[in-house]
Amino acid sequence: VELNERGLLDSTIIWCCGEFGRTPRVQWEAPWNGGRGHFGNCFSALVAGGGFKGGKIVGESDATGENVAKRPVKPEELIATMYQLLGIDPQGEMPNAAGIKTQVMPAKLLTEII
């Protein structure tokens, strides 16, 4: 709210996520003893400001949160989209002292939220 009130939200990207989700079921066996393990199949990320459209959802898990049901989103798609919004061409070529041609982030953009 404060960034918006100060007129800074359009020039600031807010990004909140982890590198994995948590298992959708409690694991009672050791070493978890009632906890939840790491789970890489599905996880959530939140982005706001900086050119992202508000109120949009991309992707969907199944009813238990175990697997992607619709529109899987790869982390590199989010990074490429952020680069684009920051004015960095994700398809652009990176300088390389060895002369190897590499792109900044060769991934598709999340056009649903920009």
Side-chain angles (χ1 to χ4, degrees), residues 10 13 49-52 76-92 104-111 113-114:
D10 289 340
I13 291 177
F52 284 105
E76 56 266 27
E77 293 175 304
L78 181 55
I79 299 290
T81 304
M82 285 187 203
Y83 282 165
Q84 180 78 26
L85 292 172
L86 291 168
I88 300 167
D89 180 7
Q91 303 301 318
V104 173
M105 184 59 64
K108 65 181 180 176
L109 301 179
L110 298 174
T111 56
I113 57 174
I114 57 171

Side-chain angles (χ1 to χ4, degrees), residues 26-109:
V26 174
Q27 295 173 285
W28 294 106
E29 67 278 356
W32 305 106
N33 303 320
R36 293 172 24 183
H38 298 168
F39 195 69
N41 289 347
C42 284
F43 59 92
S44 299
L46 176 132
V47 291
F52 284 105
K53 293 178 187 172
K56 302 288 182 180
I57 296 173
V58 181
E60 183 179 320
S61 70
D62 60 13
T64 60
E66 294 182 76
N67 296 293
V68 176
K70 293 181 185 174
R71 180 52 172 99
V73 176
K74 298 177 181 177
E76 56 266 27
E77 293 175 304
L78 181 55
I79 299 290
T81 304
M82 285 187 203
Y83 282 165
Q84 180 78 26
L85 292 172
L86 291 168
I88 300 167
D89 180 7
Q91 303 301 318
E93 193 173 304
M94 289 187 61
N96 186 300
I100 300 169
K101 293 191 177 205
T102 57
Q103 287 180 306
V104 173
M105 184 59 64
K108 65 181 180 176
L109 301 179

